Amino acid sequence: GGSRYELDGLLVFDRYFLLMEAKAGAVSDASRRGATKSLESDLKALVRDPSRQAARAKEFIDSTPTPTFSAKDGRHIVIDKTVRSEVVTMALTLDNLAMFTSDMSSIKQLGLLAPDSISWTLYLPDLRIITELLPQPSQFWHYFRWRRSLFGMNNIFGSDEVNRLGIYLKQGPNDVKQAPESYRLTFSSYTTDMDDYFLYRAGQRSKAAPRPRQEIPGPMERLIQDIEKTATPSFTSATEPLLDLTFLERRKFSALLRKQEKSNLPVQSFDGSLVLI
């Protein structure tokens, strides 16, 4: 519209453009006690505003033939729209808003944003936990997509953002389905393994604890890593569907990979519930 706006972060990775906004404000004590006016004001400043700012940048990319961003040092970053890509948004906070944003129920009930325009709002330490426990790029983006899919569900409840990650690691991406509207699907704590791992890392636990991980059999994990190493454009569009396999399907697919490796079988197809390989 002829105006200039600031964007805190633009990260380009494979087929993703990640638009990031950051807020350093804190939720007031009154909001934490449940004062409606204070809560609404804080959520507007820390969740609605960054979501709208990121959405504005996304709209700019979508509506402009050659979107160009200017860095503070004078460089110009041109977005190549001829390459198939997906624009996604994230809002980072320095205060823990998980009690409000892990289910997005507060945001939707207050009518601040439509579910499809809400950025994934994350407390910075939670983002560090997520990236440490999901070291493979494909798995991070797969989790990003899975996490966003829960925004429109009104009756799925968890305790906090890290617990969502625990659900993903323990149950896999396909086990959280929207229940009928008359039911509430609630998850208890899935963070015990994470607590043990990070307490050991911090020197507060003497017994070693392994890094929590999702079940990905060795042959499948090596295949994903090999594809990632090629860095062929849009490689995540091949690796992410592999992660859509259920845990049982992953074991069967990995068994097929082992047979292929040993006996050089002719090319075969593998038919999963969501993916045909």
Side-chain angles (χ1 to χ4, degrees), residues 72-89:
K72 285 187 176 181
D73 62 6
R75 289 180 300 117
H76 294 291
I77 296 91
V78 180
I79 303 299
D80 183 2
K81 294 180 67 175
T82 63
V83 178
R84 188 170 68 89
S85 59
E86 183 176 356
V87 182
V88 294
T89 61

Side-chain angles (χ1 to χ4, degrees), residues 16-20 86-91 118-122 127 130 134 137-151 165 168 240:
Y16 289 100
F17 294 114
L18 174 59
L19 309 177
M20 183 180 293
E86 183 176 356
V87 182
V88 294
T89 61
M90 176 186 289
I118 296 175
S119 294
W120 186 20
T121 304
L122 273 173
L127 177 60
I130 291 168
L134 301 177
S138 298
Q139 197 173 19
F140 172 81
W141 289 109
H142 186 259
Y143 177 72
F144 195 118
R145 178 161 54 86
W146 176 83
R147 183 66 185 90
R148 287 190 306 157
S149 72
L150 304 183
F151 288 174
L165 176 62
Y168 174 82
E240 286 181 40

